[in-house]
């Protein structure tokens, strides 16, 4: 018994030493040679030591005694091996296709219409229809059908206004006309509100392996730290940005105060003393929407203060992504603070202020600690007193507010 255990250990050690470099034929020929060298009981011994089957070793012995197949030929006969599932049952691709898209190709009442179509669920559904298929095979079949994992893509803008393109051209012509006269043209908008605290921020940043920044597992706002509202002004001609980081509400009063601060802290110093006009491009909704009365009233106050004629051009409904501030300022701010928790208001200001691009973008950010009241109402009398004039083309979207004559 002890001699058998020693023999087993020797054969196992020898096999493990060469197995990694042997192909299918090499393994059975090596096993056959070893079995012959062991004499009586050699086949059983090699089977036990290597895990190879009795039939495999017998096939190797047969090849040793009748070496008629040259070593450079294929290991198996043509067509050898397990048949592919689609060869055994070609219907499986059609059935799988109908399961993935039941409304278009299968039963519109199928429960799969309302479930997540993971490969495991699809595999289970195929098994219920009589196919023996694993989730890995299902994934391979989906690839054959030209399916891949896809996420939703934001491309639909909803119902387009009939003058959508005409308004775009009007905005571009207005910008070109004022820039040719050396007048400031800016794009404005509010970035989404951000929770202050140790919260997860989308994106990734380099750190030591296994040492990610740890943040809270929930995103419930901290009542003490609160949220911030970044309102941006992007100077289209100068490629410079300004962001007022508010701690209160996103109101028209806050929006216009951000523009006011930009003008006195940045814009006025960039443009000459002969500046007479300011053009603002804005979305059609939100705190700077074309229907917001307080927006127009606050712009009138600003016009009275700085003596500028303020031209406003609103983008049509559903086209806010075309506003230049979105892809020339806010997108780079988001890249700059990706993967960094916004732990304080000061951190937000610093991260925005340090946003730059290779094309020369520079940004200044300040904290606006004023409290702005929500729901302020503007009377008909105040609207009637505005020195506002609508353009001939869509006066609701395009208008000019001039200083009031006292």
């Amino acid at each position: 018994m002890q001699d058998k255990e020693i023999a087993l250990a020797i054969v196992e050690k020898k096999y493990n030493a060469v197995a990694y470099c042997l192909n299918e034929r090499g393994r059975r020929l090596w096993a056959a040679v070893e079995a012959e060298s062991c004499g009586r009981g050699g086949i059983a011994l090699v089977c036990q030591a290597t895990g190879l089957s009795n039939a495999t070793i017998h096939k190797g012995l047969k090849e040793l005694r009748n070496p008629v197949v040259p070593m450079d030929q294929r290991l198996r006969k043509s067509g050898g091996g397990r048949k592919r599932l689609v060869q055994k049952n070609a219907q499986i691709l059609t059935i799988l296709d109908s399961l993935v898209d039941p409304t278009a190709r299968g039963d519109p009442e199928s429960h799969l219409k309302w479930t997540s179509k993971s490969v495991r669920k699809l595999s289970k559904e195929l098994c219920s229809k009589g196919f023996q298929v694993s989730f890995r095979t299902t994934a391979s079949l989906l690839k054959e059908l030209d399916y891949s994992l896809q996420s939703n893509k934001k491309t639909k803008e909803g119902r387009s206004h009939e003058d959508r393109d005409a308004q775009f051209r009007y905005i571009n012509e207005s910008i070109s006309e004022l820039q040719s006269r050396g007048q400031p043209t800016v794009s404005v908008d509010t970035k989404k509100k951000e929770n202050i605290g140790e919260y997860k921020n989308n994106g990734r940043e380099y750190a030591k392996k296994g040492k990610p920044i740890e943040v809270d597992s929930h995103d419930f706002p901290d009542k003490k730290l609160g949220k911030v509202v970044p309102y941006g002004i992007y100077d289209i001609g100068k490629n410079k940005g300004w962001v007022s980081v508010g701690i209160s509400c996103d109101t028209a009063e806050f929006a216009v105060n951000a523009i006011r601060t930009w003008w006195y802290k940045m814009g006025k110093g960039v443009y000459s003393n002969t500046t007479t006009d300011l053009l603002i491009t804005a979305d059609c909704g939100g705190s700077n929407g074309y229907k917001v009365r307080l927006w127009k009233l606050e712009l009138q106050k600003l016009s009275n203060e700085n003596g500028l004629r303020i031209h406003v051009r609103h983008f049509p409904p559903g086209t806010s992504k075309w506003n230049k501030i979105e892809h020339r300022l806010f997108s780079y701010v988001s890249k700059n603070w990706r993967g960094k928790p916004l732990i304080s208001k000061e951190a937000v200001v610093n991260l925005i202020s340090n946003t730059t691009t290779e094309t020369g973008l520079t940004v200044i950010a300040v904290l606006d600690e004023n409290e702005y009241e929500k729901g302020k109402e503007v009377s008909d009398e105040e609207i009637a007193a505005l020195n506002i004039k609508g353009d001939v083309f869509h006066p609701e979207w395009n208008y000019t507010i001039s200083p009031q004559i006292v």
Side-chain angles (χ1 to χ4, degrees):
M1 180 63 71
Q2 189 175 4
D3 292 342
K4 184 179 179 181
E5 289 178 357
I6 294 172
L8 272 172
I10 293 172
V11 173
E12 184 178 0
K13 185 177 180 180
K14 289 163 69 176
Y15 179 69
N16 290 336
V18 297
Y20 74 93
C21 62
L22 298 175
N23 59 22
E24 185 179 339
R25 179 185 287 121
R27 282 194 297 273
R28 65 174 176 258
L29 289 176
W30 181 91
V33 171
E34 195 67 29
E36 276 198 334
S37 67
C38 290
R40 182 180 177 81
I43 295 176
L45 180 69
V46 174
C47 284
Q48 188 176 352
T50 63
L52 298 174
S53 69
N54 188 289
T56 296
I57 298 176
H58 275 289
K59 187 175 180 179
L61 289 168
K62 186 177 179 181
E63 289 179 358
L64 282 177
R65 291 159 188 164
N66 302 288
V68 293
V69 181
M71 292 297 289
D72 60 345
Q73 289 189 8
R74 63 188 305 133
L75 299 180
R76 298 185 181 185
K77 294 179 181 179
S78 178
R82 186 188 301 176
K83 297 293 184 294
R84 294 187 69 238
L85 193 60
V86 291
Q87 291 178 303
K88 292 194 287 185
N89 196 328
Q91 285 187 329
I92 190 170
L93 290 177
T94 304
I95 294 172
L96 179 58
D97 199 20
S98 69
L99 293 175
V100 178
D101 195 352
T103 305
R105 302 181 182 83
D107 179 10
E109 300 300 322
S110 170
H111 70 279
L112 283 177
K113 179 181 177 182
W114 309 109
T115 64
S116 170
K117 300 176 188 67
S118 67
V119 289
R120 284 178 171 79
K121 285 188 177 180
L122 291 169
S123 177
K124 187 177 180 181
E125 195 71 16
L126 286 171
C127 289
S128 70
K129 295 183 180 296
F131 298 99
Q132 295 299 316
V133 55
S134 69
F135 71 89
R136 290 188 177 86
T137 303
T138 302
S140 298
L141 295 175
L142 286 170
K143 190 175 181 180
E144 284 189 38
L145 289 169
D146 203 28
Y147 284 105
S148 64
L149 289 173
Q150 303 281 334
S151 60
N152 301 151
K153 186 176 181 180
K154 292 183 178 181
T155 54
K156 295 183 178 180
E157 294 181 353
R159 185 178 178 183
S160 295
H161 194 280
E162 58 183 1
D163 289 331
R164 170 186 181 274
D165 292 343
Q167 177 65 4
F168 284 170
R169 287 193 294 271
Y170 193 74
I171 291 172
N172 288 333
E173 289 167 3
S174 299
I175 292 172
S176 298
E177 195 272 325
L178 263 76
Q179 285 185 349
S180 68
R181 295 195 285 115
Q183 306 299 308
T185 57
V186 298
S187 170
V188 303
D189 197 12
T190 308
K191 202 178 189 301
K192 76 177 184 70
K193 292 183 178 180
E194 301 287 351
N195 288 331
I196 298 299
E198 294 182 330
Y199 300 106
K200 178 179 172 60
N201 202 355
N202 289 331
R204 295 182 294 178
E205 189 181 40
Y206 279 106
K208 287 290 185 181
K209 287 184 179 180
K211 293 183 179 180
I213 298 174
E214 295 185 355
V215 295
D216 292 346
S217 58
H218 299 287
D219 292 335
F220 303 122
D222 188 309
K223 292 183 179 179
K224 184 178 179 180
L225 296 175
K227 297 183 177 184
V228 291
V229 187
Y231 191 91
I233 297 93
Y234 174 71
D235 190 324
I236 301 169
K238 305 294 185 183
N239 194 28
K240 294 182 182 295
W242 175 279
V243 179
S244 287
V245 180
I247 62 171
S248 181
C249 306
D250 180 22
T251 68
E253 189 179 8
F254 164 61
V256 175
N257 193 51
I259 299 171
R260 175 184 288 109
T261 310
W262 162 80
W263 173 250
Y264 289 114
K265 297 286 187 180
M266 177 186 277
K268 191 175 180 180
V270 173
Y271 293 91
S272 67
N273 294 329
T274 59
T275 301
T276 57
D277 299 81
L278 167 64
L279 185 139
I280 298 172
T281 64
D283 297 346
C284 68
S287 58
N288 46 225
Y290 73 96
K291 292 182 179 180
V292 181
R293 288 184 162 199
L294 186 60
W295 162 252
K296 295 174 181 177
L297 178 63
E298 291 298 323
L299 283 178
Q300 181 67 78
K301 293 178 182 178
L302 177 58
S303 176
N304 293 343
E305 290 174 22
N306 59 22
L308 299 179
R309 289 190 297 270
I310 300 177
H311 308 273
V312 183
R313 302 289 181 264
H314 290 280
F315 283 86
T319 62
S320 60
K321 68 179 182 180
W322 297 100
N323 201 354
K324 290 189 184 296
I325 192 172
E326 296 291 343
H327 48 87
R328 290 195 182 177
L329 175 59
F330 286 162
S331 63
Y332 294 108
V333 170
S334 297
K335 286 181 182 179
N336 195 51
W337 69 27
R338 66 186 178 191
K340 296 185 179 75
L342 308 177
I343 57 175
S344 67
K345 300 179 181 71
E346 291 72 22
V348 173
V349 171
N350 287 330
L351 286 167
I352 295 174
S353 297
N354 284 280
T355 301
T356 57
T357 66
E358 292 182 0
T359 56
L361 172 70
T362 56
V363 186
I364 294 176
V366 295
L367 192 63
D368 185 344
E369 299 185 279
N370 295 315
E371 290 290 332
Y372 296 97
E373 180 185 343
K374 289 184 71 174
K376 266 192 177 181
E377 295 198 8
V378 178
S379 66
D380 293 340
E381 291 76 16
E382 288 176 305
I383 292 296
L386 296 178
N387 189 9
I388 184 171
K389 182 181 179 182
D391 293 10
V392 175
F393 181 71
H394 279 286
E396 75 279 15
W397 293 342
N398 310 294
Y399 50 86
T400 300
I401 296 176
S402 303
Q404 291 172 320
I405 300 173
V406 181

